[in-house]
PDB file of all heavy atoms in Angstrom:
ATOM      1  N   GLN G   1     -24.363  17.525  10.111  1.00 97.00           N
ATOM      2  CA  GLN G   1     -23.134  18.094  10.646  1.00 97.00           C
ATOM      3  C   GLN G   1     -22.157  17.007  11.081  1.00 97.00           C
ATOM      4  O   GLN G   1     -20.955  17.092  10.833  1.00 97.00           O
ATOM      5  CB  GLN G   1     -23.446  19.020  11.837  1.00 97.00           C
ATOM      6  CG  GLN G   1     -24.122  20.319  11.440  1.00 97.00           C
ATOM      7  CD  GLN G   1     -23.287  21.119  10.444  1.00 97.00           C
ATOM      8  OE1 GLN G   1     -22.085  21.323  10.631  1.00 97.00           O
ATOM      9  NE2 GLN G   1     -23.930  21.588   9.377  1.00 97.00           N
ATOM     10  N   GLU G   2     -22.692  15.979  11.731  1.00 97.00           N
ATOM     11  CA  GLU G   2     -21.848  14.878  12.178  1.00 97.00           C
ATOM     12  C   GLU G   2     -21.224  14.138  10.988  1.00 97.00           C
ATOM     13  O   GLU G   2     -20.046  13.759  11.021  1.00 97.00           O
ATOM     14  CB  GLU G   2     -22.655  13.897  13.036  1.00 97.00           C
ATOM     15  CG  GLU G   2     -23.035  14.403  14.414  1.00 97.00           C
ATOM     16  CD  GLU G   2     -24.239  15.341  14.404  1.00 97.00           C
ATOM     17  OE1 GLU G   2     -24.813  15.575  13.316  1.00 97.00           O
ATOM     18  OE2 GLU G   2     -24.599  15.841  15.477  1.00 97.00           O
ATOM     19  N   LEU G   3     -22.007  13.957   9.933  1.00 98.00           N
ATOM     20  CA  LEU G   3     -21.495  13.262   8.754  1.00 98.00           C
ATOM     21  C   LEU G   3     -20.471  14.107   7.992  1.00 98.00           C
ATOM     22  O   LEU G   3     -19.557  13.565   7.369  1.00 98.00           O
ATOM     23  CB  LEU G   3     -22.647  12.873   7.820  1.00 98.00           C
ATOM     24  CG  LEU G   3     -23.453  11.645   8.236  1.00 98.00           C
ATOM     25  CD1 LEU G   3     -24.557  11.359   7.234  1.00 98.00           C
ATOM     26  CD2 LEU G   3     -22.545  10.419   8.363  1.00 98.00           C
ATOM     27  N   LYS G   4     -20.622  15.422   8.058  1.00 97.00           N
ATOM     28  CA  LYS G   4     -19.649  16.298   7.408  1.00 97.00           C
ATOM     29  C   LYS G   4     -18.275  16.123   8.055  1.00 97.00           C
ATOM     30  O   LYS G   4     -17.250  15.996   7.364  1.00 97.00           O
ATOM     31  CB  LYS G   4     -20.105  17.757   7.516  1.00 97.00           C
ATOM     32  CG  LYS G   4     -19.182  18.736   6.811  1.00 97.00           C
ATOM     33  CD  LYS G   4     -19.727  20.163   6.906  1.00 97.00           C
ATOM     34  CE  LYS G   4     -18.792  21.147   6.204  1.00 97.00           C
ATOM     35  NZ  LYS G   4     -19.317  22.539   6.294  1.00 97.00           N
ATOM     36  N   LYS G   5     -18.246  16.089   9.375  1.00 97.00           N
ATOM     37  CA  LYS G   5     -16.989  15.877  10.089  1.00 97.00           C
ATOM     38  C   LYS G   5     -16.446  14.484   9.816  1.00 97.00           C
ATOM     39  O   LYS G   5     -15.260  14.293   9.538  1.00 97.00           O
ATOM     40  CB  LYS G   5     -17.200  16.071  11.587  1.00 97.00           C
ATOM     41  CG  LYS G   5     -15.952  15.796  12.416  1.00 97.00           C
ATOM     42  CD  LYS G   5     -16.213  16.001  13.900  1.00 97.00           C
ATOM     43  CE  LYS G   5     -14.940  15.704  14.705  1.00 97.00           C
ATOM     44  NZ  LYS G   5     -15.164  15.900  16.169  1.00 97.00           N
ATOM     45  N   LEU G   6     -17.331  13.480   9.882  1.00 98.00           N
ATOM     46  CA  LEU G   6     -16.903  12.101   9.663  1.00 98.00           C
ATOM     47  C   LEU G   6     -16.370  11.902   8.250  1.00 98.00           C
ATOM     48  O   LEU G   6     -15.379  11.188   8.050  1.00 98.00           O
ATOM     49  CB  LEU G   6     -18.071  11.140   9.922  1.00 98.00           C
ATOM     50  CG  LEU G   6     -17.778   9.656   9.682  1.00 98.00           C
ATOM     51  CD1 LEU G   6     -16.652   9.166  10.587  1.00 98.00           C
ATOM     52  CD2 LEU G   6     -19.039   8.827   9.905  1.00 98.00           C
ATOM     53  N   SER G   7     -16.996  12.529   7.274  1.00 97.00           N
ATOM     54  CA  SER G   7     -16.551  12.385   5.877  1.00 97.00           C
ATOM     55  C   SER G   7     -15.126  12.884   5.698  1.00 97.00           C
ATOM     56  O   SER G   7     -14.323  12.272   4.978  1.00 97.00           O
ATOM     57  CB  SER G   7     -17.489  13.142   4.937  1.00 97.00           C
ATOM     58  OG  SER G   7     -18.778  12.561   4.931  1.00 97.00           O
ATOM     59  N   ARG G   8     -14.805  13.992   6.353  1.00 97.00           N
ATOM     60  CA  ARG G   8     -13.442  14.534   6.268  1.00 97.00           C
ATOM     61  C   ARG G   8     -12.435  13.544   6.851  1.00 97.00           C
ATOM     62  O   ARG G   8     -11.395  13.248   6.245  1.00 97.00           O
ATOM     63  CB  ARG G   8     -13.367  15.874   7.015  1.00 97.00           C
ATOM     64  CG  ARG G   8     -11.977  16.462   7.069  1.00 97.00           C
ATOM     65  CD  ARG G   8     -11.969  17.790   7.811  1.00 97.00           C
ATOM     66  NE  ARG G   8     -12.420  17.670   9.178  1.00 97.00           N
ATOM     67  CZ  ARG G   8     -11.633  17.276  10.189  1.00 97.00           C
ATOM     68  NH1 ARG G   8     -10.366  16.951   9.961  1.00 97.00           N
ATOM     69  NH2 ARG G   8     -12.113  17.209  11.418  1.00 97.00           N
ATOM     70  N   LEU G   9     -12.747  13.007   8.013  1.00 97.00           N
ATOM     71  CA  LEU G   9     -11.831  12.062   8.659  1.00 97.00           C
ATOM     72  C   LEU G   9     -11.763  10.739   7.914  1.00 97.00           C
ATOM     73  O   LEU G   9     -10.703  10.118   7.812  1.00 97.00           O
ATOM     74  CB  LEU G   9     -12.274  11.831  10.111  1.00 97.00           C
ATOM     75  CG  LEU G   9     -12.195  13.063  11.021  1.00 97.00           C
ATOM     76  CD1 LEU G   9     -12.829  12.771  12.371  1.00 97.00           C
ATOM     77  CD2 LEU G   9     -10.751  13.508  11.200  1.00 97.00           C
ATOM     78  N   ALA G  10     -12.904  10.303   7.362  1.00 97.00           N
ATOM     79  CA  ALA G  10     -12.935   9.048   6.601  1.00 97.00           C
ATOM     80  C   ALA G  10     -12.083   9.157   5.344  1.00 97.00           C
ATOM     81  O   ALA G  10     -11.445   8.194   4.925  1.00 97.00           O
ATOM     82  CB  ALA G  10     -14.373   8.682   6.243  1.00 97.00           C
ATOM     83  N   SER G  11     -12.060  10.338   4.733  1.00 97.00           N
ATOM     84  CA  SER G  11     -11.238  10.556   3.544  1.00 97.00           C
ATOM     85  C   SER G  11      -9.746  10.448   3.888  1.00 97.00           C
ATOM     86  O   SER G  11      -8.967   9.826   3.148  1.00 97.00           O
ATOM     87  CB  SER G  11     -11.533  11.933   2.945  1.00 97.00           C
ATOM     88  OG  SER G  11     -10.708  12.189   1.837  1.00 97.00           O
ATOM     89  N   ILE G  12      -9.347  11.024   5.017  1.00 96.00           N
ATOM     90  CA  ILE G  12      -7.957  10.923   5.464  1.00 96.00           C
ATOM     91  C   ILE G  12      -7.600   9.469   5.743  1.00 96.00           C
ATOM     92  O   ILE G  12      -6.548   8.977   5.329  1.00 96.00           O
ATOM     93  CB  ILE G  12      -7.738  11.778   6.728  1.00 96.00           C
ATOM     94  CG1 ILE G  12      -7.970  13.265   6.413  1.00 96.00           C
ATOM     95  CG2 ILE G  12      -6.346  11.563   7.299  1.00 96.00           C
ATOM     96  CD1 ILE G  12      -7.955  14.164   7.636  1.00 96.00           C
ATOM     97  N   PHE G  13      -8.498   8.770   6.433  1.00 96.00           N
ATOM     98  CA  PHE G  13      -8.270   7.361   6.752  1.00 96.00           C
ATOM     99  C   PHE G  13      -8.130   6.527   5.476  1.00 96.00           C
ATOM    100  O   PHE G  13      -7.228   5.701   5.353  1.00 96.00           O
ATOM    101  CB  PHE G  13      -9.433   6.838   7.601  1.00 96.00           C
ATOM    102  CG  PHE G  13      -9.340   5.379   7.937  1.00 96.00           C
ATOM    103  CD1 PHE G  13      -8.542   4.945   8.980  1.00 96.00           C
ATOM    104  CD2 PHE G  13     -10.048   4.438   7.205  1.00 96.00           C
ATOM    105  CE1 PHE G  13      -8.454   3.592   9.300  1.00 96.00           C
ATOM    106  CE2 PHE G  13      -9.962   3.090   7.510  1.00 96.00           C
ATOM    107  CZ  PHE G  13      -9.160   2.665   8.565  1.00 96.00           C
ATOM    108  N   SER G  14      -9.011   6.747   4.513  1.00 96.00           N
ATOM    109  CA  SER G  14      -8.979   5.986   3.266  1.00 96.00           C
ATOM    110  C   SER G  14      -7.694   6.236   2.496  1.00 96.00           C
ATOM    111  O   SER G  14      -7.144   5.325   1.858  1.00 96.00           O
ATOM    112  CB  SER G  14     -10.192   6.345   2.394  1.00 96.00           C
ATOM    113  OG  SER G  14     -11.396   5.940   3.013  1.00 96.00           O
ATOM    114  N   ASN G  15      -7.195   7.473   2.530  1.00 93.00           N
ATOM    115  CA  ASN G  15      -5.921   7.775   1.870  1.00 93.00           C
ATOM    116  C   ASN G  15      -4.781   6.992   2.505  1.00 93.00           C
ATOM    117  O   ASN G  15      -3.882   6.500   1.808  1.00 93.00           O
ATOM    118  CB  ASN G  15      -5.635   9.277   1.931  1.00 93.00           C
ATOM    119  CG  ASN G  15      -6.527  10.081   1.012  1.00 93.00           C
ATOM    120  OD1 ASN G  15      -7.073   9.554   0.042  1.00 93.00           O
ATOM    121  ND2 ASN G  15      -6.698  11.351   1.307  1.00 93.00           N
ATOM    122  N   HIS G  16      -4.802   6.872   3.830  1.00 93.00           N
ATOM    123  CA  HIS G  16      -3.790   6.076   4.531  1.00 93.00           C
ATOM    124  C   HIS G  16      -3.883   4.611   4.116  1.00 93.00           C
ATOM    125  O   HIS G  16      -2.862   3.949   3.899  1.00 93.00           O
ATOM    126  CB  HIS G  16      -3.968   6.203   6.041  1.00 93.00           C
ATOM    127  CG  HIS G  16      -3.403   7.456   6.626  1.00 93.00           C
ATOM    128  ND1 HIS G  16      -2.059   7.735   6.617  1.00 93.00           N
ATOM    129  CD2 HIS G  16      -3.998   8.500   7.251  1.00 93.00           C
ATOM    130  CE1 HIS G  16      -1.838   8.901   7.214  1.00 93.00           C
ATOM    131  NE2 HIS G  16      -3.003   9.386   7.599  1.00 93.00           N
ATOM    132  N   VAL G  17      -5.109   4.096   4.029  1.00 93.00           N
ATOM    133  CA  VAL G  17      -5.307   2.696   3.643  1.00 93.00           C
ATOM    134  C   VAL G  17      -4.762   2.454   2.238  1.00 93.00           C
ATOM    135  O   VAL G  17      -4.039   1.487   1.993  1.00 93.00           O
ATOM    136  CB  VAL G  17      -6.799   2.305   3.712  1.00 93.00           C
ATOM    137  CG1 VAL G  17      -7.023   0.914   3.108  1.00 93.00           C
ATOM    138  CG2 VAL G  17      -7.285   2.329   5.160  1.00 93.00           C
ATOM    139  N   ARG G  18      -5.126   3.353   1.306  1.00 91.00           N
ATOM    140  CA  ARG G  18      -4.658   3.179  -0.079  1.00 91.00           C
ATOM    141  C   ARG G  18      -3.143   3.251  -0.162  1.00 91.00           C
ATOM    142  O   ARG G  18      -2.514   2.505  -0.927  1.00 91.00           O
ATOM    143  CB  ARG G  18      -5.304   4.239  -0.975  1.00 91.00           C
ATOM    144  CG  ARG G  18      -6.761   3.950  -1.320  1.00 91.00           C
ATOM    145  CD  ARG G  18      -7.245   4.854  -2.440  1.00 91.00           C
ATOM    146  NE  ARG G  18      -7.311   6.237  -2.030  1.00 91.00           N
ATOM    147  CZ  ARG G  18      -8.394   6.798  -1.484  1.00 91.00           C
ATOM    148  NH1 ARG G  18      -9.483   6.083  -1.291  1.00 91.00           N
ATOM    149  NH2 ARG G  18      -8.388   8.077  -1.145  1.00 91.00           N
ATOM    150  N   ALA G  19      -2.544   4.155   0.606  1.00 90.00           N
ATOM    151  CA  ALA G  19      -1.086   4.276   0.584  1.00 90.00           C
ATOM    152  C   ALA G  19      -0.426   3.002   1.098  1.00 90.00           C
ATOM    153  O   ALA G  19       0.559   2.517   0.518  1.00 90.00           O
ATOM    154  CB  ALA G  19      -0.645   5.475   1.430  1.00 90.00           C
ATOM    155  N   GLN G  20      -0.965   2.438   2.168  1.00 91.00           N
ATOM    156  CA  GLN G  20      -0.420   1.193   2.703  1.00 91.00           C
ATOM    157  C   GLN G  20      -0.597   0.048   1.717  1.00 91.00           C
ATOM    158  O   GLN G  20       0.323  -0.740   1.487  1.00 91.00           O
ATOM    159  CB  GLN G  20      -1.106   0.849   4.030  1.00 91.00           C
ATOM    160  CG  GLN G  20      -0.667   1.698   5.197  1.00 91.00           C
ATOM    161  CD  GLN G  20       0.774   1.439   5.585  1.00 91.00           C
ATOM    162  OE1 GLN G  20       1.220   0.315   5.673  1.00 91.00           O
ATOM    163  NE2 GLN G  20       1.514   2.511   5.834  1.00 91.00           N
ATOM    164  N   GLN G  21      -1.790  -0.034   1.131  1.00 90.00           N
ATOM    165  CA  GLN G  21      -2.054  -1.108   0.177  1.00 90.00           C
ATOM    166  C   GLN G  21      -1.146  -0.993  -1.036  1.00 90.00           C
ATOM    167  O   GLN G  21      -0.600  -1.997  -1.518  1.00 90.00           O
ATOM    168  CB  GLN G  21      -3.520  -1.072  -0.256  1.00 90.00           C
ATOM    169  CG  GLN G  21      -4.495  -1.496   0.826  1.00 90.00           C
ATOM    170  CD  GLN G  21      -5.939  -1.285   0.427  1.00 90.00           C
ATOM    171  OE1 GLN G  21      -6.255  -0.409  -0.390  1.00 90.00           O
ATOM    172  NE2 GLN G  21      -6.834  -2.061   0.999  1.00 90.00           N
ATOM    173  N   SER G  22      -0.982   0.232  -1.538  1.00 91.00           N
ATOM    174  CA  SER G  22      -0.134   0.452  -2.699  1.00 91.00           C
ATOM    175  C   SER G  22       1.312   0.092  -2.402  1.00 91.00           C
ATOM    176  O   SER G  22       1.988  -0.565  -3.204  1.00 91.00           O
ATOM    177  CB  SER G  22      -0.228   1.915  -3.146  1.00 91.00           C
ATOM    178  OG  SER G  22       0.677   2.189  -4.194  1.00 91.00           O
ATOM    179  N   GLY G  23       1.800   0.506  -1.229  1.00 90.00           N
ATOM    180  CA  GLY G  23       3.171   0.216  -0.864  1.00 90.00           C
ATOM    181  C   GLY G  23       3.435  -1.272  -0.736  1.00 90.00           C
ATOM    182  O   GLY G  23       4.431  -1.790  -1.257  1.00 90.00           O
ATOM    183  N   ILE G  24       2.532  -1.968  -0.065  1.00 92.00           N
ATOM    184  CA  ILE G  24       2.712  -3.408   0.130  1.00 92.00           C
ATOM    185  C   ILE G  24       2.591  -4.149  -1.189  1.00 92.00           C
ATOM    186  O   ILE G  24       3.380  -5.056  -1.489  1.00 92.00           O
ATOM    187  CB  ILE G  24       1.696  -3.933   1.163  1.00 92.00           C
ATOM    188  CG1 ILE G  24       2.038  -3.381   2.552  1.00 92.00           C
ATOM    189  CG2 ILE G  24       1.680  -5.460   1.182  1.00 92.00           C
ATOM    190  CD1 ILE G  24       1.032  -3.720   3.615  1.00 92.00           C
ATOM    191  N   THR G  25       1.596  -3.765  -2.014  1.00 93.00           N
ATOM    192  CA  THR G  25       1.423  -4.425  -3.302  1.00 93.00           C
ATOM    193  C   THR G  25       2.652  -4.232  -4.178  1.00 93.00           C
ATOM    194  O   THR G  25       3.134  -5.171  -4.822  1.00 93.00           O
ATOM    195  CB  THR G  25       0.178  -3.879  -4.026  1.00 93.00           C
ATOM    196  OG1 THR G  25      -0.974  -4.135  -3.226  1.00 93.00           O
ATOM    197  CG2 THR G  25       0.000  -4.546  -5.380  1.00 93.00           C
ATOM    198  N   GLY G  26       3.169  -3.002  -4.208  1.00 94.00           N
ATOM    199  CA  GLY G  26       4.357  -2.722  -5.003  1.00 94.00           C
ATOM    200  C   GLY G  26       5.559  -3.515  -4.532  1.00 94.00           C
ATOM    201  O   GLY G  26       6.295  -4.091  -5.337  1.00 94.00           O
ATOM    202  N   GLU G  27       5.758  -3.588  -3.231  1.00 96.00           N
ATOM    203  CA  GLU G  27       6.889  -4.334  -2.694  1.00 96.00           C
ATOM    204  C   GLU G  27       6.735  -5.830  -2.926  1.00 96.00           C
ATOM    205  O   GLU G  27       7.715  -6.537  -3.179  1.00 96.00           O
ATOM    206  CB  GLU G  27       7.047  -4.022  -1.204  1.00 96.00           C
ATOM    207  CG  GLU G  27       7.544  -2.609  -0.939  1.00 96.00           C
ATOM    208  CD  GLU G  27       7.652  -2.296   0.534  1.00 96.00           C
ATOM    209  OE1 GLU G  27       7.405  -3.215   1.350  1.00 96.00           O
ATOM    210  OE2 GLU G  27       7.975  -1.146   0.881  1.00 96.00           O
ATOM    211  N   ASP G  28       5.506  -6.334  -2.838  1.00 96.00           N
ATOM    212  CA  ASP G  28       5.269  -7.754  -3.124  1.00 96.00           C
ATOM    213  C   ASP G  28       5.656  -8.087  -4.567  1.00 96.00           C
ATOM    214  O   ASP G  28       6.244  -9.141  -4.843  1.00 96.00           O
ATOM    215  CB  ASP G  28       3.805  -8.120  -2.885  1.00 96.00           C
ATOM    216  CG  ASP G  28       3.457  -8.206  -1.401  1.00 96.00           C
ATOM    217  OD1 ASP G  28       4.379  -8.264  -0.572  1.00 96.00           O
ATOM    218  OD2 ASP G  28       2.255  -8.222  -1.084  1.00 96.00           O
ATOM    219  N   ARG G  29       5.332  -7.183  -5.480  1.00 96.00           N
ATOM    220  CA  ARG G  29       5.669  -7.413  -6.888  1.00 96.00           C
ATOM    221  C   ARG G  29       7.176  -7.366  -7.098  1.00 96.00           C
ATOM    222  O   ARG G  29       7.729  -8.161  -7.863  1.00 96.00           O
ATOM    223  CB  ARG G  29       4.972  -6.379  -7.774  1.00 96.00           C
ATOM    224  CG  ARG G  29       3.452  -6.499  -7.801  1.00 96.00           C
ATOM    225  CD  ARG G  29       2.857  -5.485  -8.747  1.00 96.00           C
ATOM    226  NE  ARG G  29       3.247  -5.763 -10.137  1.00 96.00           N
ATOM    227  CZ  ARG G  29       3.208  -4.863 -11.102  1.00 96.00           C
ATOM    228  NH1 ARG G  29       2.836  -3.610 -10.832  1.00 96.00           N
ATOM    229  NH2 ARG G  29       3.545  -5.182 -12.338  1.00 96.00           N
ATOM    230  N   VAL G  30       7.837  -6.432  -6.421  1.00 98.00           N
ATOM    231  CA  VAL G  30       9.297  -6.356  -6.528  1.00 98.00           C
ATOM    232  C   VAL G  30       9.922  -7.643  -6.006  1.00 98.00           C
ATOM    233  O   VAL G  30      10.842  -8.203  -6.635  1.00 98.00           O
ATOM    234  CB  VAL G  30       9.837  -5.136  -5.756  1.00 98.00           C
ATOM    235  CG1 VAL G  30      11.357  -5.209  -5.636  1.00 98.00           C
ATOM    236  CG2 VAL G  30       9.428  -3.838  -6.455  1.00 98.00           C
ATOM    237  N   GLU G  31       9.450  -8.124  -4.875  1.00 97.00           N
ATOM    238  CA  GLU G  31       9.991  -9.360  -4.317  1.00 97.00           C
ATOM    239  C   GLU G  31       9.787 -10.532  -5.275  1.00 97.00           C
ATOM    240  O   GLU G  31      10.661 -11.391  -5.419  1.00 97.00           O
ATOM    241  CB  GLU G  31       9.331  -9.662  -2.970  1.00 97.00           C
ATOM    242  CG  GLU G  31       9.999 -10.785  -2.209  1.00 97.00           C
ATOM    243  CD  GLU G  31       9.584 -10.814  -0.751  1.00 97.00           C
ATOM    244  OE1 GLU G  31       8.387 -10.580  -0.468  1.00 97.00           O
ATOM    245  OE2 GLU G  31      10.444 -11.083   0.099  1.00 97.00           O
ATOM    246  N   GLN G  32       8.633 -10.547  -5.939  1.00 97.00           N
ATOM    247  CA  GLN G  32       8.373 -11.595  -6.925  1.00 97.00           C
ATOM    248  C   GLN G  32       9.394 -11.536  -8.064  1.00 97.00           C
ATOM    249  O   GLN G  32       9.952 -12.557  -8.469  1.00 97.00           O
ATOM    250  CB  GLN G  32       6.960 -11.452  -7.479  1.00 97.00           C
ATOM    251  CG  GLN G  32       6.625 -12.435  -8.579  1.00 97.00           C
ATOM    252  CD  GLN G  32       5.276 -12.143  -9.229  1.00 97.00           C
ATOM    253  OE1 GLN G  32       4.540 -11.252  -8.808  1.00 97.00           O
ATOM    254  NE2 GLN G  32       4.956 -12.877 -10.277  1.00 97.00           N
ATOM    255  N   TYR G  33       9.637 -10.344  -8.581  1.00 98.00           N
ATOM    256  CA  TYR G  33      10.573 -10.199  -9.699  1.00 98.00           C
ATOM    257  C   TYR G  33      12.014 -10.497  -9.282  1.00 98.00           C
ATOM    258  O   TYR G  33      12.794 -11.022 -10.084  1.00 98.00           O
ATOM    259  CB  TYR G  33      10.473  -8.798 -10.305  1.00 98.00           C
ATOM    260  CG  TYR G  33       9.408  -8.704 -11.378  1.00 98.00           C
ATOM    261  CD1 TYR G  33       8.068  -8.540 -11.043  1.00 98.00           C
ATOM    262  CD2 TYR G  33       9.739  -8.803 -12.725  1.00 98.00           C
ATOM    263  CE1 TYR G  33       7.090  -8.469 -12.020  1.00 98.00           C
ATOM    264  CE2 TYR G  33       8.766  -8.728 -13.713  1.00 98.00           C
ATOM    265  CZ  TYR G  33       7.442  -8.562 -13.353  1.00 98.00           C
ATOM    266  OH  TYR G  33       6.472  -8.508 -14.323  1.00 98.00           O
ATOM    267  N   LEU G  34      12.368 -10.172  -8.049  1.00 97.00           N
ATOM    268  CA  LEU G  34      13.707 -10.494  -7.584  1.00 97.00           C
ATOM    269  C   LEU G  34      13.925 -12.012  -7.559  1.00 97.00           C
ATOM    270  O   LEU G  34      15.059 -12.488  -7.667  1.00 97.00           O
ATOM    271  CB  LEU G  34      13.954  -9.904  -6.187  1.00 97.00           C
ATOM    272  CG  LEU G  34      14.120  -8.381  -6.138  1.00 97.00           C
ATOM    273  CD1 LEU G  34      14.195  -7.910  -4.690  1.00 97.00           C
ATOM    274  CD2 LEU G  34      15.363  -7.936  -6.909  1.00 97.00           C
ATOM    275  N   GLY G  35      12.841 -12.742  -7.452  1.00 96.00           N
ATOM    276  CA  GLY G  35      12.928 -14.196  -7.498  1.00 96.00           C
ATOM    277  C   GLY G  35      13.323 -14.732  -8.856  1.00 96.00           C
ATOM    278  O   GLY G  35      13.682 -15.910  -8.991  1.00 96.00           O
ATOM    279  N   TYR G  36      13.278 -13.875  -9.888  1.00 97.00           N
ATOM    280  CA  TYR G  36      13.677 -14.283 -11.238  1.00 97.00           C
ATOM    281  C   TYR G  36      15.174 -14.129 -11.476  1.00 97.00           C
ATOM    282  O   TYR G  36      15.675 -14.477 -12.545  1.00 97.00           O
ATOM    283  CB  TYR G  36      12.926 -13.455 -12.288  1.00 97.00           C
ATOM    284  CG  TYR G  36      11.421 -13.581 -12.220  1.00 97.00           C
ATOM    285  CD1 TYR G  36      10.603 -12.516 -12.600  1.00 97.00           C
ATOM    286  CD2 TYR G  36      10.809 -14.738 -11.776  1.00 97.00           C
ATOM    287  CE1 TYR G  36       9.226 -12.608 -12.547  1.00 97.00           C
ATOM    288  CE2 TYR G  36       9.431 -14.846 -11.703  1.00 97.00           C
ATOM    289  CZ  TYR G  36       8.641 -13.776 -12.089  1.00 97.00           C
ATOM    290  OH  TYR G  36       7.275 -13.879 -12.033  1.00 97.00           O
ATOM    291  N   MET G  37      15.899 -13.615 -10.494  1.00 96.00           N
ATOM    292  CA  MET G  37      17.343 -13.451 -10.659  1.00 96.00           C
ATOM    293  C   MET G  37      18.018 -14.812 -10.853  1.00 96.00           C
ATOM    294  O   MET G  37      17.638 -15.811 -10.235  1.00 96.00           O
ATOM    295  CB  MET G  37      17.942 -12.738  -9.445  1.00 96.00           C
ATOM    296  CG  MET G  37      17.657 -11.251  -9.376  1.00 96.00           C
ATOM    297  SD  MET G  37      18.347 -10.498  -7.868  1.00 96.00           S
ATOM    298  CE  MET G  37      20.086 -10.906  -8.042  1.00 96.00           C
ATOM    299  N   LYS G  38      19.025 -14.846 -11.704  1.00 95.00           N
ATOM    300  CA  LYS G  38      19.742 -16.088 -11.985  1.00 95.00           C
ATOM    301  C   LYS G  38      20.945 -16.279 -11.072  1.00 95.00           C
ATOM    302  O   LYS G  38      21.367 -17.407 -10.827  1.00 95.00           O
ATOM    303  CB  LYS G  38      20.186 -16.105 -13.447  1.00 95.00           C
ATOM    304  CG  LYS G  38      19.022 -16.118 -14.431  1.00 95.00           C
ATOM    305  CD  LYS G  38      19.513 -16.120 -15.873  1.00 95.00           C
ATOM    306  CE  LYS G  38      18.343 -16.133 -16.846  1.00 95.00           C
ATOM    307  NZ  LYS G  38      18.798 -16.127 -18.269  1.00 95.00           N
ATOM    308  N   SER G  39      21.499 -15.184 -10.592  1.00 91.00           N
ATOM    309  CA  SER G  39      22.678 -15.290  -9.722  1.00 91.00           C
ATOM    310  C   SER G  39      22.268 -15.675  -8.303  1.00 91.00           C
ATOM    311  O   SER G  39      21.146 -15.425  -7.861  1.00 91.00           O
ATOM    312  CB  SER G  39      23.438 -13.963  -9.701  1.00 91.00           C
ATOM    313  OG  SER G  39      22.578 -12.904  -9.307  1.00 91.00           O
ATOM    314  N   ASN G  40      23.200 -16.285  -7.598  1.00 91.00           N
ATOM    315  CA  ASN G  40      22.989 -16.647  -6.209  1.00 91.00           C
ATOM    316  C   ASN G  40      22.866 -15.369  -5.376  1.00 91.00           C
ATOM    317  O   ASN G  40      23.726 -14.490  -5.444  1.00 91.00           O
ATOM    318  CB  ASN G  40      24.170 -17.498  -5.723  1.00 91.00           C
ATOM    319  CG  ASN G  40      23.897 -18.105  -4.368  1.00 91.00           C
ATOM    320  OD1 ASN G  40      22.752 -18.286  -3.989  1.00 91.00           O
ATOM    321  ND2 ASN G  40      24.956 -18.408  -3.634  1.00 91.00           N
ATOM    322  N   HIS G  41      21.815 -15.249  -4.589  1.00 93.00           N
ATOM    323  CA  HIS G  41      21.584 -13.992  -3.876  1.00 93.00           C
ATOM    324  C   HIS G  41      20.738 -14.225  -2.628  1.00 93.00           C
ATOM    325  O   HIS G  41      20.094 -15.261  -2.473  1.00 93.00           O
ATOM    326  CB  HIS G  41      20.888 -12.975  -4.790  1.00 93.00           C
ATOM    327  CG  HIS G  41      19.479 -13.363  -5.137  1.00 93.00           C
ATOM    328  ND1 HIS G  41      19.192 -14.289  -6.125  1.00 93.00           N
ATOM    329  CD2 HIS G  41      18.283 -12.960  -4.627  1.00 93.00           C
ATOM    330  CE1 HIS G  41      17.882 -14.432  -6.207  1.00 93.00           C
ATOM    331  NE2 HIS G  41      17.315 -13.640  -5.315  1.00 93.00           N
ATOM    332  N   VAL G  42      20.728 -13.209  -1.771  1.00 95.00           N
ATOM    333  CA  VAL G  42      19.870 -13.170  -0.582  1.00 95.00           C
ATOM    334  C   VAL G  42      19.167 -11.818  -0.572  1.00 95.00           C
ATOM    335  O   VAL G  42      19.794 -10.783  -0.836  1.00 95.00           O
ATOM    336  CB  VAL G  42      20.677 -13.351   0.717  1.00 95.00           C
ATOM    337  CG1 VAL G  42      19.772 -13.205   1.942  1.00 95.00           C
ATOM    338  CG2 VAL G  42      21.360 -14.710   0.740  1.00 95.00           C
ATOM    339  N   VAL G  43      17.867 -11.814  -0.279  1.00 97.00           N
ATOM    340  CA  VAL G  43      17.069 -10.584  -0.279  1.00 97.00           C
ATOM    341  C   VAL G  43      16.630 -10.252   1.148  1.00 97.00           C
ATOM    342  O   VAL G  43      16.081 -11.108   1.848  1.00 97.00           O
ATOM    343  CB  VAL G  43      15.826 -10.720  -1.179  1.00 97.00           C
ATOM    344  CG1 VAL G  43      14.948  -9.461  -1.065  1.00 97.00           C
ATOM    345  CG2 VAL G  43      16.228 -10.955  -2.626  1.00 97.00           C
TER     346      VAL G  43
END
């Protein structure tokens, strides 16, 4: 019974972790590509 409750909460927690990881990874890649710009710029 205790593990049933914990599994539900662990799934919610893991979804939050994946969302954060995905967001940061995606933004890191965007920042990398913005570094390929030829024009003078600030990000």
Side-chain angles (χ1 to χ4, degrees):
Q1 289 302 312
E2 289 79 2
L3 282 180
K4 183 178 180 180
K5 177 180 180 180
L6 178 60
S7 294
R8 176 180 60 82
L9 295 172
S11 177
I12 297 172
F13 177 81
S14 295
N15 288 338
H16 280 295
V17 171
R18 284 193 293 270
Q20 286 292 315
Q21 289 173 333
S22 175
I24 291 174
T25 299
E27 290 178 4
D28 286 345
R29 294 183 66 200
V30 169
E31 190 164 40
Q32 176 187 355
Y33 272 81
L34 288 173
Y36 300 149
M37 286 178 58
K38 296 179 180 180
S39 56
N40 190 24
H41 68 280
V42 176
V43 175

